[in-house]
Amino acid sequence: MSSTNAFRRRYGASPLHLLLVLASFALAAYAGVRLLKGDTVGVALWFVGAALLHDLVLLPLYSVTDRAAQLLFAGRTGPEEGVQRPSVNYVRVPAFVSGLLLLVWWPLILRRVGHYTAATALPADVFLGRWLLITAALFAASAATFLVRRWNESRPRRRAERRQRRARSATK
């Protein structure tokens, strides 16, 4: 047995994976040291507050919302295979991307940055409208994808029904 196979059996992945994981931990440690060099108490308070806000408020909120969406858009089984096709994903994906855009750009979307126009000479009042347009486009594209997939999934059933109608009309 080679040493790579023994390592893989004990570790569960290749030595390159271990090297990359250790490098990412080293990079995270370096970033943490650099971050905490300034206002250590403020940064620690921000992390604890963000963790508590996420775990105590946001996680239950979006878990309940997701469960309600799952019940509303109950998955259906495809015609040929017995695989669940959760249609809730057609709502999850655009909502996630829209939420991520809001998270990244919320100061500009909610007009919380007064010095933006002075610093960039660009208007700051267009971000809310653009974010709403992007969100609408994401949901429209998702709805179009859903409708096309439903149409394609029903094609064999429609063909079978058409053949049955032709067979019935031919026997009359």
Side-chain angles (χ1 to χ4, degrees):
M1 181 184 303
S2 71
S3 62
T4 304
N5 286 338
F7 180 82
R8 191 180 292 267
R9 191 179 78 245
R10 291 184 134 232
Y11 176 65
S14 70
L16 178 62
H17 180 269
L18 178 62
L19 179 66
L20 291 174
V21 167
L22 291 175
S24 68
F25 281 143
L27 181 64
Y30 171 73
V33 167
R34 295 285 303 210
L35 182 66
L36 293 174
K37 193 178 254 186
D39 182 18
T40 307
V41 174
V43 171
L45 185 64
W46 187 86
F47 272 113
V48 169
L52 288 175
L53 175 70
H54 177 267
D55 292 350
L56 298 177
V57 176
L58 296 178
L59 181 66
L61 182 66
Y62 60 73
S63 294
V64 167
T65 305
D66 184 60
R67 178 54 83 183
Q70 284 180 13
L71 293 174
L72 184 64
F73 300 101
R76 65 179 203 72
T77 306
E80 294 86 27
E81 69 277 0
V83 178
Q84 282 289 93
R85 298 204 182 276
S87 56
V88 72
N89 289 338
Y90 293 98
V91 175
R92 278 182 185 157
V93 172
F96 172 75
V97 173
S98 177
L100 188 62
L101 288 173
L102 179 63
L103 180 68
V104 171
W105 298 102
W106 72 269
L108 291 170
I109 292 171
L110 299 178
R111 297 181 182 129
R112 300 283 188 217
V113 181
H115 60 279
Y116 180 79
T117 303
T120 63
L122 297 172
D125 58 348
V126 297
F127 289 96
L128 176 62
R130 290 178 182 174
W131 175 73
L132 290 172
L133 283 173
I134 290 170
T135 299
L138 287 169
F139 277 97
S142 183
T145 304
F146 175 72
L147 291 174
V148 166
R149 288 208 176 160
R150 290 281 294 229
W151 177 262
N152 287 337
E153 286 175 357
S154 68
R155 186 178 295 173
R157 181 179 45 81
R158 289 191 322 264
R159 285 183 183 161
E161 289 172 356
R162 194 176 312 129
R163 273 188 246 122
Q164 286 176 354
R165 280 194 307 260
R166 286 181 188 159
R168 270 189 253 134
S169 65
T171 59
K172 289 184 180 179

